[in-house]
Amino acid sequence: MSESFRILGFAGSLRKGSYNRAALRTAVELAPEGIQIDTFDLDGFPGFNEDEEQRPPQVVTRFKQAIAGADALLIVTPEYNYSIPGVLKNAIDWASRPYGESAFEGKCAAIMGASIGNLGTSRAQYHLRQCAVFLNLQLLNRPEVMIGNAAERFDEAGRLTHDKTRRKIAELVEALVEFTHARSAGAEAKA
């Protein structure tokens, strides 16, 4: 790959020992040459307040700039109560506002997530896909990476030790790059 491809990854968990943060670190580690995955920590976002959207906090401005500077996004979500966690929804709300100035408009993205349960964030990921429709976020459909039984797949240091899951994450990153290039080529052909 001659030019660098930049992905912005962020995890919807604030817990330092989170399996989702560990999955994001794995994606960074497995990114092939020419693909750089930068990460953004969602800690420190205040609750979204429409009264403040014209004067967003510095963390929101940095987040929107990071999204704008990325070729694609990698969103890693836990599942809380069959949905995405509040911290992730809050960051999405901030970055999509004010109306007409969404940082997500037309961006390509992939989703993955880890859970101690068997379903591995499937419900949260499908709910995030619903949110993406309004955001006009272009989501990669496959491969799906839903890491179930996470306590058995990560070691005490947070390293993903399950080889099949490591391969799936690497496939997801490569598919995101291909998907983004294909959408970009399609847009250029229409212009």
Side-chain angles (χ1 to χ4, degrees), residues 85-119:
V87 66
L88 179 57
K89 179 66 166 72
N90 188 53
I92 288 170
D93 289 347
W94 272 113
S96 68
R97 302 299 295 219
Y99 185 78
E101 297 178 26
S102 173
F104 298 112
E105 181 67 33
K107 279 284 183 191
C108 291
I111 302 171
M112 67 177 182
S115 168
I116 59 172
N118 292 331
L119 299 179

Side-chain angles (χ1 to χ4, degrees), residues 87-155:
V87 66
L88 179 57
K89 179 66 166 72
N90 188 53
I92 288 170
D93 289 347
W94 272 113
S96 68
R97 302 299 295 219
Y99 185 78
E101 297 178 26
S102 173
F104 298 112
E105 181 67 33
K107 279 284 183 191
C108 291
I111 302 171
M112 67 177 182
S115 168
I116 59 172
N118 292 331
L119 299 179
T121 72
S122 60
R123 293 179 189 105
Q125 289 191 36
Y126 292 140
H127 191 207
L128 183 54
R129 286 180 181 279
Q130 287 179 309
C131 296
V133 172
F134 181 79
L135 299 171
N136 197 27
L137 193 57
Q138 307 302 303
L139 292 180
L140 175 69
N141 288 325
R142 286 186 294 239
E144 291 182 307
V145 179
M146 300 174 183
I147 307 167
N149 304 308
E152 299 168 13
R153 300 182 190 270
F154 292 87
D155 66 17

Side-chain angles (χ1 to χ4, degrees), residues 153-171:
R153 300 182 190 270
F154 292 87
D155 66 17
E156 300 79 28
R159 179 168 162 71
L160 180 60
T161 57
H162 190 256
D163 289 335
K164 184 177 179 183
T165 304
R166 290 177 67 81
R167 284 192 302 274
K168 274 298 196 194
I169 290 174
E171 287 174 27

